[in-house]
Amino acid sequence: MKKFLSILFLIMVGTAFSDDAHGFIEPTIGGFTIKDTNDIRMMDEVVEIWENKVKVTFHFKNLSDEKKTVTIGFPVQWHEEVGVGAREKPLKNDEKTKKEIEEYYNFRSTCNGKKLERKLIVSANVYNSFDFWFTTELVFEPGQTLEVVDEYNAGNITGSDSIGLSWDSWSYVLSTGSSWYSTIAKATIIFHSKYKYQWIKYYVEENYKRDYIWDIDNMTYHWGYFSYKPTSIKYDKKNKETVLTWVLENIEPRKEWKATEYRSSIRSPDDEIQEFAYDLVKDELFKIPGYNNDSKWWLDDEYRNNSASDWGYKELGNKEKFYVWVRKLYESGFTEFQPKTKVAGIYAQLLINSIYAIHGYRFKNESWAQKFSKFDWYEPATSEISDADFSIEEKLMLKRLMEYR
């Protein structure tokens, strides 16, 4: 395969995915500073993140037998100038900037159901690139637990490079919660994603495993990166969204939670697998009205070191290797979220015919007969194949693939 120089393009927007912190307001400059406390503990938090909004519910408990009045702050990262390269100017602490931040986030906060007035002030000492804080005061009776709910608009960080990789990244900074006493007893993070393909397979920081999902219609790969392994991943058909949930207990708030959705072009460690499949069915694909392949220039032979067909017929020269190719196509592409489209139907038919070819099926369709005749292992011996001829794994694949025909 050709080697490409990757040029990165990054678009950054204001994000405030962070815990409320305990602190105080500097009397001289009026800015907010984080300060540890041994009296108040964050008992739990529930974070719900959508594509452009966040809702966080905290429960704080006064562990002392005294009345406590504390200042809390929710941090804000803000970039005055965004775009390619995300050049940043020195941030201005003026009314115009504050108004832009307040209008962008539309920050709302309540305590035990009553509205909390939040004041936007500058950071006294820039902590983790947080430039401003939405601050307020909480008053605890001895032993009292207060429920604080924060809701606000939020963006993500998006980026792309010159060779077909793009991403959306959401983060929630747990480390600002380190100012409360002890660990965070329990943190539940629920992420609602509009994407249907990407979040089924993932890799986490600890074991750095990357599994790809093949978006058949767009000939792209998807995968997800998470700071922590999700507790569950489910698809909500009613709301048409993928819901990922993390349940973290006794968290030492040092590492932020992060979820990144990647979308890449056909190029990957297994790109020949999809390229060969494309070569076998591209004539059928172009019969679909409106099918547009102009942007998939990397699939054309002139942009490859050699033909994917040459690679396929050479590398898949025995049944065992060919079956591995079939299984990889199936497992990466025909997940439970793969929509039933005409493009997917053509690839499904390719895999169905491939399984039949392994069992020596004699194809009446001349085009399919010619495709498989180029494999040395293919021996057309029968026109009649029954379920008893297939393995359990083959039966399961065929059952799902038949749904796309």
Side-chain angles (χ1 to χ4, degrees), residues 148-197:
V148 176
V149 179
D150 297 329
E151 297 180 77
Y152 53 95
N153 303 330
N156 55 2
I157 295 177
T158 64
S160 63
D161 61 23
S162 58
I163 61 172
L165 177 67
S166 59
W167 57 88
D168 293 308
S169 183
W170 295 263
S171 62
Y172 190 85
V173 181
L174 298 167
S175 58
T176 50
S178 62
S179 55
W180 304 102
Y181 173 75
S182 188
T183 60
I184 300 175
K186 184 177 181 180
T188 302
I189 302 174
I190 304 169
F191 183 64
H192 302 262
S193 173
K194 66 182 179 182
Y195 297 109
K196 295 166 62 176
Y197 311 101

Side-chain angles (χ1 to χ4, degrees), residues 284-390:
E284 293 299 316
L285 292 175
F286 281 102
K287 293 179 182 178
I288 298 175
Y291 181 79
N292 184 356
N293 200 51
D294 293 342
S295 62
K296 303 175 183 63
W297 49 265
W298 56 85
L299 291 169
D300 295 336
D301 286 341
E302 64 180 291
Y303 289 99
R304 301 184 231 170
N305 289 338
N306 50 53
S307 169
S309 293
D310 292 341
W311 173 89
Y313 289 119
K314 179 181 178 181
E315 294 297 321
L316 309 178
N318 61 61
K319 286 185 180 180
E320 290 73 19
K321 289 184 177 180
F322 183 78
Y323 184 70
V324 170
W325 173 81
V326 169
R327 196 173 65 243
K328 282 188 175 181
L329 274 176
Y330 174 82
E331 291 175 349
S332 65
F334 288 90
T335 67
E336 61 179 301
F337 296 142
Q338 174 60 47
K340 296 174 184 178
T341 63
K342 291 182 179 179
V343 174
I346 289 175
Y347 281 102
Q349 189 64 59
L350 167 64
L351 296 186
I352 292 169
N353 290 354
S354 295
I355 295 172
Y356 272 75
I358 290 173
H359 290 274
Y361 182 75
R362 185 184 297 112
F363 294 94
K364 296 178 182 179
N365 183 290
E366 184 177 346
S367 176
W368 286 112
Q370 288 180 352
K371 286 181 174 67
F372 291 111
S373 67
K374 295 180 182 179
F375 291 103
D376 293 337
W377 52 261
Y378 177 60
E379 297 179 0
T382 180
S383 298
E384 299 293 333
I385 295 182
S386 66
D387 284 350
D389 296 314
F390 300 117

